[in-house]
Amino acid sequence: MAKDIVISAGDLSKIYRRGAEEVRAVDGVSFEAAAGEMVAIIGPSGSGKTTLLNLIGCLDNPSSGSLSVGGRAIFGGQKALSERELTLIRREMFGYVFQKFYLIPTLTVEENIMLPGAFYRAPGAKDAHEVMKLLGIAQRRGHLPGELSGGEMQRVAIARALINGPKVLLADEPTGSLDSKRTEEIKGILRGLARQGITVVMVTHNLDLARSADRLLEIRDGKVHGA
Ligand SMILES: Nc1ncnc2c1ncn2[C@@H]1O[C@H](COP(=O)(O)OP(=O)(O)OP(=O)(O)O)[C@@H](O)[C@H]1O
Ligand SMILES: [Mg+2]
């Protein structure tokens, strides 16, 4: 039986130009990820991991190459999608955990988590309390981000990414500032999401977390080395 391919990237490239200087941030990356699959992207700083994640998440346009999400051609297809169509795909398909969290400092933990749902309530949307419990932050619901530890902020960012029940969770360093016990917990949570059929694509420097993925993409100078 054919696997249910959710992400399909073909020869994706992103080139930044600064004057005469050219940075090939992502350089001809091809890969597929199926429903319920967990993919880890590893590589040194500046190798293009965040850029690749942004391309997969339709937050950035590739310089060349193709991308399909949920069987739909996003880039490199016959017809370019409108900004409105891209917005729909972003909010229906993806949950994003950014490297810098981007929590709103004047909103509480609970309000931050509920924020995406204020703009759009997906059919598979989750209850805020449910995701706070899942991430072990329910007791911090009334706190402001400035009153949280780095690890707690990270878990709030993951909870917020899950509130609209995404098909694909994209996470840039989901355990970046966590101790090994918390990393182990996040690993279990991500695995659980994958078991529910969510495709998880994460960037990590944590080798233990990377090895727990179904697939490892090792990226160096924008190119994939191991698949
Ligand atoms: N907006 C931009 N304009 C120009 N160059 C950029 C831009 N964004 C990223 N780059 C360059 O592209 C390359 C890849 O950057 P990227 O942020 O994807 O790396 P990374 O692998 O995520 O690194 P880190 O592990 O430090 O987060 C780097 O050389 C970076 O300087
Ligand atoms: Mg990065």
Side-chain angles (χ1 to χ4, degrees), residues 120-201:
Y120 169 70
R121 201 81 186 129
K126 304 270 183 281
D127 176 62
H129 194 70
E130 187 189 328
V131 289
M132 283 193 290
K133 257 177 52 195
L134 180 72
L135 274 300
I137 44 173
Q139 74 288 4
R140 294 277 183 274
R141 63 193 298 167
H143 287 232
L144 295 173
E147 301 165 345
L148 302 176
S149 71
E152 286 168 339
M153 283 193 243
Q154 205 137 25
R155 284 182 282 146
V156 174
I158 297 173
R160 184 182 56 185
L162 294 175
I163 194 75
N164 268 334
K167 308 273 187 299
V168 182
L169 182 73
L170 300 177
D172 207 341
E173 291 286 357
T175 64
S177 53
L178 303 186
D179 62 24
S180 56
K181 180 169 165 278
R182 289 297 184 195
T183 296
E184 216 35 54
E185 282 175 18
I186 297 292
K187 192 163 98 179
I189 288 165
L190 295 177
R191 195 27 90 191
L193 294 170
R195 216 174 292 123
Q196 289 170 36
I198 297 177
T199 304
V200 178
V201 183

Side-chain angles (χ1 to χ4, degrees), residues 49-50 99 172 203:
K49 305 181 298 295
T50 296
Q99 202 167 3
D172 207 341
V203 167

Side-chain angles (χ1 to χ4, degrees), residues 15 24-25 35 82 85 102 105 140 171 175 190 194 205 215 227:
I15 303 168
R24 294 185 160 270
S82 68
E85 287 170 307
Y102 298 124
R140 294 277 183 274
T175 64
L190 295 177
H205 280 109
R215 195 130 46 91

Side-chain angles (χ1 to χ4, degrees), residues 16-27:
Y16 291 112
R17 289 194 178 83
R18 238 183 268 110
E21 196 196 342
E22 198 175 71
V23 179
R24 294 185 160 270
V26 171
D27 194 359

